[in-house]
Amino acid sequence: MTQLVDTAHAQLVALWLGFMGWILNAVTLGIIQWRVWHVAPGSDISSDVAWVGIWRACFHSHTLVTPEFRIMYCSSIGLAEDFTPPEIAAAQVLMVLALLAGLLGSAVCIYALRKVYFDLHKSWPIRSAFMCAGALSLLAAMLSCAPVLWNLHSVLTNQTIHFPREFHMPPAPLSQDVGPGIIVGLVATALMITSGAIFLTYRMPDGPELSRQSQRELRQTVRPRMESQTDKTAMSWMCKDNAAFQSHENL
């Protein structure tokens, strides 16, 4: 007979996959190397390679130094700046929303698994909780997938960004490569899609099996109460006053 605990093993694995996807999504948010620009030699960029992320653009330089990055010079990319391309502006907003949706989905899944493993007599909201967790995981995957694919398209089509002069970036790169940020973002999206799909496939046990299980739990709860009531009744019968003895005492 199928037990309620035996129905959520796949969802437990899905929670681990979704949590790994959430961690990789957070890593993607902070990686600088979304786009790898190869530039012409002779500029302030010593290594002839610059990195463009969704928050800042950086490159190694022996003449320009940002104190907190030592020999790396970095400039921040603002959301409301005129030069910020739409794919980077969208990534700044959607990646943060994906992080929040993934965290909320993991929390709902933990609630559902707690119902499965610890509160078997309150099993009615379990499927709804798993459905909600799956929907949030798929939402997080879509929110992160859109900016990642958009930036991937910009790299493959070698689109440029018109940085201000203080960025010391060339007007256009010689070529572009896909950076680790986009690759990690794609992996995170795949993990969250897989996790959400597994959450949505959860099925409760069949009705008769679940009812028999509930009846067994009910018997385990009611039987000690009936036995205690029976013992009290027996004790009250054994301790009943003897009327003949009381009449003899009154003589």
Side-chain angles (χ1 to χ4, degrees):
M1 181 178 64
T2 303
Q3 300 293 328
L4 186 60
V5 178
D6 298 332
T7 62
H9 296 326
Q11 281 66 36
L12 184 61
V13 176
L15 175 63
W16 180 83
L17 293 177
F19 190 67
M20 291 300 297
W22 181 82
I23 292 177
L24 291 179
N25 191 34
V27 171
T28 305
L29 197 61
I31 291 179
I32 302 174
Q33 298 91 342
W34 279 55
R35 306 186 192 184
V36 180
W37 280 23
H38 299 279
V39 301
S43 61
D44 293 326
I45 303 175
S46 303
S47 60
D48 300 333
V49 175
W51 303 287
V52 180
I54 63 175
W55 302 109
R56 57 185 180 268
C58 301
F59 55 84
H60 289 295
S61 176
H62 297 298
T63 58
L64 302 172
V65 178
T66 306
E68 61 268 25
F69 295 104
R70 295 183 181 179
I71 63 171
M72 183 179 290
Y73 181 80
C74 293
S75 300
S76 299
I77 302 175
L79 177 63
E81 299 291 342
D82 295 334
F83 68 90
T84 303
E87 63 271 19
I88 290 182
Q92 292 181 355
V93 176
L94 295 180
M95 293 298 292
V96 175
L97 294 178
L99 200 65
L100 296 176
L103 181 62
L104 185 59
S106 298
V108 175
C109 178
I110 292 174
Y111 167 80
L113 289 174
R114 178 182 176 275
K115 286 293 182 181
V116 170
Y117 289 106
F118 297 104
D119 280 335
L120 299 181
H121 62 287
K122 298 179 182 179
S123 59
W124 62 268
I126 292 177
R127 175 164 169 76
S128 299
F130 277 126
M131 294 290 288
C132 182
L136 288 171
S137 297
L138 293 180
L139 176 61
M142 289 187 293
L143 290 173
S144 64
C145 182
V148 169
L149 292 180
W150 197 352
N151 281 271
L152 177 62
H153 176 266
S154 299
V155 172
L156 296 179
T157 55
N158 197 25
Q159 297 184 13
T160 185
I161 302 174
H162 300 288
F163 288 106
R165 181 174 299 179
E166 59 268 19
F167 276 64
H168 299 278
M169 294 284 287
L174 297 177
S175 62
Q176 295 187 54
D177 292 333
V178 176
I182 294 179
I183 297 175
V184 175
L186 292 175
V187 175
T189 300
L191 289 175
M192 288 186 291
I193 290 176
T194 304
S195 175
I198 295 176
F199 289 151
L200 294 178
T201 58
Y202 179 79
R203 293 291 182 273
M204 295 288 291
D206 295 336
E209 295 178 352
L210 186 59
S211 61
R212 286 197 296 269
Q213 182 179 358
S214 302
Q215 292 174 5
R216 186 185 305 109
E217 295 172 359
L218 183 62
R219 286 197 299 270
Q220 293 175 357
T221 305
V222 174
R223 184 179 300 170
R225 297 179 181 177
M226 294 180 61
E227 291 177 353
S228 61
Q229 292 177 359
T230 304
D231 294 340
K232 291 179 180 179
T233 304
M235 291 295 296
S236 62
W237 178 81
M238 294 175 61
C239 298
K240 187 176 182 180
D241 294 336
N242 192 339
F245 179 77
Q246 292 179 355
S247 61
H248 178 73
E249 287 289 333
N250 295 329
L251 293 176

